[in-house]
Amino acid sequence: MSEAYPVIAIDGPSGSGKGTVARRVAHSLGFHWLDSGALYRLVGLAGAQAGLAPGAPQHAQVAATMAIRFGVGAKGQEQVFLADREVSEQIRTEEVGNLASQVASDPQVRAALTERQRAFVQSPGLVADGRDMGTVLFPGAQLKIFLTASAEARALRRYNQLKDKGLDVNLVGLSQEIAERDERDATRAVAPLVAAADAISIDSTTLTAEEVITRVLTLARTHLTDR
Ligand code: C5P
């Protein structure tokens, strides 16, 4: 089953660079961008703000009803709003990332977010990044990329990203948290992190973001016109 508009699905573990690549490929093609991880982070944050215990079943209700909005800032950066309050920075902490990974293993939360994510498929097309874009959300995507990188490279990238944002981080602690999150994401019963059978894998360990973007855009040129 093909999507109504072209979809490029980019899946991979944390720190593989999929967010940067997806955002810039979307910009280059003039497509919409779905940062699906932000939705799980928003559920984690909204749940914590409501006083829920990490992973409590009430998160499904939060996922279905939370008032969220995405925007683009003056410097082209992603803006994320929860109940009209900007939380772009707040959702990027490792603490919220861990809450996100816990709520993400709840099938009811995933079900509540399905339609919200599918609503991003709009003209002229969508680039969606996450863990299950090519396997569950958009199985008919015209192009599926599975972006990986060594655990060391991924931990170092996250470290630099968080440091650039002025957050206080420790590389060893961060590596451990990333390893735990990867393990939970890859072994959960619903929508685990796996490459779709028809995904093209790119190992970005020794590639710059520019090089990955160029490869994806080259693939997009053939895959989107062949349909
Ligand atoms: O990609 P990001 O680090 O923002 O995602 C945060 C968490 O949300 C992941 O660790 C994963 O557990 C969950 N997630 C998911 N499915 C997606 C996107 C993110 O389960 N499509």
Side-chain angles (χ1 to χ4, degrees):
M1 182 199 68
S2 183
E3 301 295 339
Y5 298 102
V7 174
I8 298 176
I10 305 182
D11 290 304
S14 5
S16 58
K18 61 190 187 315
T20 306
V21 171
R23 177 170 56 82
R24 294 195 26 208
V25 167
H27 182 75
S28 181
L29 296 172
F31 279 16
H32 299 276
W33 172 38
L34 165 62
D35 168 10
S36 65
L39 293 177
Y40 289 92
R41 287 172 181 268
L42 283 162
V43 176
L45 178 63
Q49 286 178 347
L52 299 182
Q58 294 89 332
H59 281 93
Q61 184 65 17
V62 171
T65 57
M66 63 184 181
I68 57 172
R69 188 163 57 81
F70 289 91
V72 181
K75 295 181 199 139
Q77 80 278 21
E78 179 187 38
Q79 289 181 314
V80 184
F81 299 85
L82 176 61
D84 281 333
R85 204 166 62 80
E86 185 168 3
V87 292
S88 316
E89 299 283 315
Q90 217 179 336
I91 60 162
R92 293 297 150 204
T93 63
E94 284 308 292
E95 188 193 348
V96 174
N98 283 322
L99 290 173
S101 162
Q102 290 179 55
V103 300
S105 60
D106 179 341
Q108 310 289 347
V109 168
R110 303 198 76 85
L113 291 182
T114 299
E115 281 314 308
R116 298 189 92 154
Q117 293 177 90
R118 293 195 56 82
F120 280 77
V121 183
Q122 284 175 20
S123 173
L126 176 70
V127 182
D129 80 77
R131 306 292 188 293
D132 59 345
M133 299 295 100
T135 49
V136 178
L137 263 294
F138 308 110
Q142 281 75 8
L143 174 61
K144 298 179 187 176
I145 304 287
F146 195 75
L147 195 58
T148 57
S150 72
E152 295 74 26
R154 294 189 290 113
L156 196 58
R157 281 180 199 162
R158 291 294 286 183
Y159 176 79
N160 288 330
Q161 268 176 2
L162 295 169
K163 269 226 118 100
D164 283 352
K165 289 186 176 151
L167 296 167
D168 186 22
V169 273
N170 161 300
L171 184 57
V172 177
L174 187 62
S175 303
Q176 275 167 3
E177 280 180 12
I178 288 182
E180 276 170 32
R181 192 134 71 86
D182 285 351
E183 169 73 11
R184 190 160 48 219
D185 289 347
T187 56
R188 67 183 175 218
V190 275
L193 171 66
V194 286
D198 51 351
I200 297 169
S201 284
I202 299 179
D203 183 341
S204 73
T205 307
T206 60
L207 300 177
T208 62
E210 296 304 329
E211 287 169 326
V212 179
I213 291 161
T214 303
R215 279 196 201 187
V216 176
L217 285 172
T218 305
L219 287 165
R221 227 163 278 133
T222 49
H223 284 252
L224 299 192
T225 50
D226 278 358
R227 47 191 217 105

